[in-house]
Amino acid sequence: MTDKGKILLVDDDADLLRLLSLRMKTAGYNIGTAANGNEALALLAMEHPGLVITDLKMDQMDGMALLDAIRREYPTLPVIILTAHGSIPDALLAADQGVFAFLTKPFDGKDLMAQVERAFSLTAAVAPSSGKKGKDTSWDRILTRSPKMQAVLDQARLVAASDASVFVHGASGTGKELLAQAIHQASPRRAQPFIALNCAAFPEQLLESELFGHKKGAFTGAANNHQGLFQAAEKGTLFLDEIGDMPLSLQVKLLRALQERMIRPVGSTESIAVDVRIISASHRDLEKEMAERRFRDDLYYRLCVVTLELPALAERPEDIPLLAEFFLRDTAAKNRKDVRGIAPEAMELLVAAPWPGNVRQLANVIEQAVVLSTTPRIGAPLIRHALRDKEGEVMPLADAKGRFEMNYLIQIMRMTRGNVSQAAQLAQRNRTEFYRLLRRYHLDPSAFKENGTADEEEGEE
């Protein structure tokens, strides 16, 4: 049966949890289970379900507290609450916090399945389209295991289906243009042009010409008519990077173009109608720029209908091994180098580095290491050289080892689907030692199993 999506079920009633799990699996869904809210949050940090179904009354953390925690970290994840103690105040509070559905026990099984199908149809409707079959898209190039990054991507997919203006905020090198391309490719405008412009790369007069075009003779050096990027991106998407660096005088003209959907080329007396979606980005804090009167508030509200916040690479350390391996394969292929892996000590250094240049810096470090490598595996000295290590730039080795060890354990437990014996063999450790490692990092083997229950005894202590 085709996997129709992943659901996380949360209930402290084991019998009901088993019944719901069986019903959802029969319907073709992949199921994860948790006995309370704390377990659910731990699973959400490792997995990425498309829907959460939770009981309302539970010990430790009830369904409303779980909903509140999910809304803070995963604002677009649908949540269905089930309760045997349904009341109007509960339902109103749940609706206020953004619950997808609120069902009172005993509920009709058909009603529940209808809500489940509605939740997945909503997410399917905004899933990215790759256009031609087999063709890579920007969505394919955004590699992540990070729940924080995945939450941003979920929001991006939702907004892609609309025509709303989007502002992407993030430090340099976090992938703002890549996300903008992905939004364009998932939008109804995907068949039309996507054009990017860095607003910080041009002086004011040339930036105005790049955006709106100019007539021949409009200024010194304007030897011919020039079509601006607004016209070139007609029916498509115009990505304005580093919008916070745009001069105030030009901000006024951009605002007029967005309000009137008309542009006037430099030196022309005629206006031209345009139909363009705007995605903008900046590493600057535009609210601070507004407060200091360096950015117009009316333009801000035009551009920032939806704001997406890209996390820095240091905030998503679980993505560093994934990205490093990708950049290694890509660079080795381009340079025809027989480099096939990264030594554990070198990976520890990568995970522990502060990454002020974010993903762009990581790609640069891996490229340099691959180009200079004379062996099939990149060692720590090459990574240290590429990072230009200085005292204090990386965390203590013990902390780095701990972070690497935890990520390694999560990865190997996923590979073996929670089978501790297989995982211990792959790690070349006995089961007793391996269980100690799992407990050290509070990793429950059952969380990695498809049915959410352990089938091994922990009797080797």
Side-chain angles (χ1 to χ4, degrees), residues 55-330:
D55 191 23
L56 177 64
K57 301 296 183 182
M58 297 182 292
D59 293 336
Q60 299 179 27
M61 177 186 287
D62 66 11
M64 294 306 300
L66 176 60
L67 173 64
D68 184 57
I70 290 174
R71 280 290 154 266
R72 287 197 302 270
E73 295 294 326
Y74 316 97
T76 62
L77 178 61
V79 178
I80 295 175
I81 291 182
L82 309 176
T83 177
H85 312 278
S87 67
I88 292 176
D90 284 337
L92 290 175
L93 179 59
D96 186 58
Q97 291 188 353
V99 72
F100 185 81
F102 189 89
L103 301 179
T104 303
K105 302 174 187 175
F107 51 83
D108 187 316
K110 291 182 180 179
D111 289 345
L112 176 60
M113 293 311 301
Q115 294 291 357
V116 169
E117 290 172 7
R118 187 168 71 91
F120 278 101
S121 68
L122 177 65
T123 54
V126 299
S129 170
S130 60
K132 295 181 180 179
K133 188 176 180 180
K135 184 179 179 182
D136 287 340
T137 71
S138 295
W139 292 106
D140 303 318
R141 292 159 55 201
I142 301 176
L143 306 177
T144 186
R145 297 189 185 106
S146 163
K148 184 176 290 188
M149 185 66 176
Q150 192 61 58
V152 176
L153 297 182
D154 287 346
Q155 295 174 58
R157 290 188 179 100
L158 285 169
V159 74
S162 73
D163 212 29
S165 297
V166 180
F167 174 70
V168 184
H169 181 253
S172 179
T174 50
K176 297 188 289 292
E177 183 172 345
L178 188 60
L179 183 62
Q181 289 174 341
I183 292 171
H184 171 74
Q185 288 172 352
S187 77
R189 297 176 178 265
R190 66 178 68 91
Q192 304 304 323
F194 172 89
I195 297 178
L197 174 70
N198 189 323
C199 297
F202 295 89
E204 182 175 349
Q205 187 179 46
L206 287 181
L207 181 57
E208 182 179 2
S209 173
E210 282 297 303
L211 286 171
F212 307 126
H214 63 250
K215 300 292 286 184
K216 179 180 178 180
F219 51 83
T220 303
N224 299 291
N225 290 339
H226 172 69
Q227 183 187 64
L229 296 185
F230 264 91
Q231 287 179 271
E234 178 68 13
K235 304 292 185 184
T237 301
L238 180 57
F239 175 57
L240 301 178
D241 198 6
E242 300 303 349
I243 190 74
D245 290 89
M246 180 177 285
L248 276 167
S249 57
L250 191 52
Q251 290 178 30
V252 177
K253 297 176 182 178
L254 176 60
L255 175 64
R256 185 181 302 117
L258 297 180
Q259 288 175 332
E260 300 175 2
R261 302 179 74 85
M262 304 279 288
I263 59 151
R264 182 179 298 173
V266 179
S268 174
T269 58
E270 297 180 359
S271 295
I272 301 169
V274 289
D275 177 12
V276 175
R277 181 187 196 170
I278 299 294
I279 301 178
S280 56
S282 179
H283 72 282
R284 297 181 184 273
D285 182 342
L286 291 193
E287 292 188 359
K288 181 179 178 181
E289 294 295 300
M290 282 195 301
E292 296 179 1
R293 300 189 178 279
R294 290 194 293 264
F295 200 86
R296 295 181 61 93
D297 55 355
D298 44 8
L299 177 58
Y300 173 85
Y301 293 116
R302 278 280 175 181
L303 294 173
C304 304
V305 176
V306 176
T307 298
L308 301 177
E309 187 79 30
L310 276 175
L313 183 58
E315 297 175 36
R316 38 188 281 229
E318 61 268 55
D319 286 346
I320 293 172
L322 181 71
L323 291 165
E325 293 288 350
F326 170 78
F327 292 137
L328 182 143
R329 291 192 301 270
D330 184 61

Side-chain angles (χ1 to χ4, degrees), residues 251-450:
Q251 290 178 30
V252 177
K253 297 176 182 178
L254 176 60
L255 175 64
R256 185 181 302 117
L258 297 180
Q259 288 175 332
E260 300 175 2
R261 302 179 74 85
M262 304 279 288
I263 59 151
R264 182 179 298 173
V266 179
S268 174
T269 58
E270 297 180 359
S271 295
I272 301 169
V274 289
D275 177 12
V276 175
R277 181 187 196 170
I278 299 294
I279 301 178
S280 56
S282 179
H283 72 282
R284 297 181 184 273
D285 182 342
L286 291 193
E287 292 188 359
K288 181 179 178 181
E289 294 295 300
M290 282 195 301
E292 296 179 1
R293 300 189 178 279
R294 290 194 293 264
F295 200 86
R296 295 181 61 93
D297 55 355
D298 44 8
L299 177 58
Y300 173 85
Y301 293 116
R302 278 280 175 181
L303 294 173
C304 304
V305 176
V306 176
T307 298
L308 301 177
E309 187 79 30
L310 276 175
L313 183 58
E315 297 175 36
R316 38 188 281 229
E318 61 268 55
D319 286 346
I320 293 172
L322 181 71
L323 291 165
E325 293 288 350
F326 170 78
F327 292 137
L328 182 143
R329 291 192 301 270
D330 184 61
T331 305
K334 287 178 180 177
N335 291 276
R336 289 176 292 213
K337 295 274 293 189
D338 183 25
V339 181
R340 300 187 295 272
I342 300 172
E345 297 83 359
M347 189 65 80
E348 289 176 8
L349 289 172
L350 291 174
V351 173
W355 300 113
N358 294 290
V359 179
R360 186 182 295 126
Q361 182 189 5
L362 176 60
N364 178 272
V365 165
I366 297 300
E367 182 176 10
Q368 182 182 150
V370 168
V371 169
L372 295 178
S373 180
T374 57
T375 61
R377 177 176 285 198
I378 293 174
L382 269 180
I383 293 298
R384 192 173 291 110
H385 177 267
L387 285 169
R388 294 176 176 85
D389 275 352
K390 297 177 182 177
E391 187 177 356
E393 283 192 342
V394 297
M395 69 175 65
L397 185 57
D399 293 345
K401 283 184 176 180
R403 183 185 290 181
F404 175 77
E405 198 167 59
M406 183 180 70
N407 288 330
Y408 175 82
L409 291 171
I410 290 174
Q411 182 179 5
I412 202 169
M413 290 298 287
R414 281 177 175 161
M415 289 170 58
T416 61
R417 297 186 179 181
N419 188 309
V420 177
S421 294
Q422 290 182 14
Q425 286 179 348
L426 288 173
Q428 299 181 15
R429 295 290 185 272
N430 63 54
R431 287 182 70 218
T432 301
E433 182 185 358
F434 198 81
Y435 269 118
R436 289 199 191 102
L437 288 172
L438 292 176
R439 281 196 292 271
R440 180 185 301 169
Y441 297 105
H442 307 287
L443 298 175
D444 181 2
S446 66
F448 298 91
K449 295 178 179 296
E450 289 187 354

